[in-house]
Amino acid sequence: LHVVLGFAVLLEEDLDGDDAESARHIRVAAEQLLGLVAALPGEAAPAATVGASRPNRAAPVDGDGVLIEDNASNVRLVERILAHRPTVTLTSLTDVDEVRGWLAASTAAPAVVLLDRHLGRADGLDLVGEIRSVHDDVPIVVVTADATDLARDEARSAGADAVVTKPFSVAELLEVVDQSSSATGSKR
């Protein structure tokens, strides 16, 4: 599975269009299978090996941050910003299927979930309940371009702990991640 995953990651980075999408599906399937294998009694968690080869695609483990964002530029931006927090290993999930695969294989809550409000074919707020059903006390920060009070109220009503409006500053994002991570640490 590690070989398949590594090969799919390389293909995904080098291909375009439908071919890259096919490679992404292979990668997601391999990650999901690795998560299932890790959940078997007596099995060592393979996620650490995956994380060593591609940190932001590994299955989340205790202490990690999870970014759910479908825009590649925004993913790169958040990854660069969180590089200022070396204790937070970021896992980036780019669509609903990846999120559901992560939740199905997830055994440990991340320190924080950064959730884009408007994912390609889904409203990020619909995922809040799914995340809470697996990790009920994980801090969820909704990231949205909608700066209205209504959008903030909707996010909080859905169960988000905080809302960050795009465009956000580096300091603002780091502050909310620090606050959320420390809140998680005090709950554990």
Side-chain angles (χ1 to χ4, degrees):
L1 284 174
H2 287 288
V3 172
V4 171
L5 179 59
F7 187 68
V9 167
L10 291 174
L11 284 176
E12 187 179 2
E13 293 174 350
D14 292 336
L15 298 175
D16 296 315
D18 290 340
D19 293 330
E21 185 65 17
S22 295
R24 187 187 68 76
H25 286 293
I26 292 168
R27 176 187 48 78
V28 169
E31 289 172 344
Q32 290 171 347
L33 284 171
L34 282 170
L36 291 173
V37 168
L40 292 173
E43 291 296 321
T49 305
V50 178
S53 64
R54 184 167 172 139
N56 55 329
R57 291 295 184 194
V61 295
D62 191 29
D64 284 351
V66 175
L67 171 64
I68 302 169
E69 168 66 65
D70 63 336
N71 181 293
S73 297
N74 290 339
V75 170
R76 284 191 299 276
L77 174 64
V78 172
E79 287 173 345
R80 286 185 189 134
I81 291 172
L82 289 183
H84 295 280
R85 295 295 182 265
T87 58
V88 177
T89 303
L90 186 66
T91 299
S92 301
L93 306 173
T94 59
D95 67 27
V96 176
D97 294 333
E98 287 184 349
V99 173
R100 290 185 177 137
W102 160 61
L103 290 171
S106 186
T107 57
V112 63
V113 172
L114 302 172
L115 173 62
D116 183 26
R117 165 70 194 262
H118 298 289
L119 297 168
R121 58 188 174 101
D123 184 337
L125 297 185
D126 293 336
L127 293 173
V128 173
E130 292 182 48
I131 294 167
R132 291 262 183 247
S133 72
V134 176
H135 302 298
D136 62 340
D137 64 350
V138 66
I140 298 175
V141 179
V142 171
V143 182
T144 181
D146 188 343
T148 65
D149 288 336
L150 177 61
R152 288 182 179 280
D153 291 344
E154 289 174 341
R156 292 202 184 271
S157 291
D161 297 291
V163 180
V164 174
T165 305
K166 298 175 192 176
F168 47 79
S169 70
V170 171
E172 179 184 18
L173 185 65
L174 290 175
E175 180 181 347
V176 76
V177 167
D178 291 344
Q179 288 174 353
S180 297
S181 297
S182 65
T184 302
S186 66
K187 289 180 185 178
R188 290 183 182 168

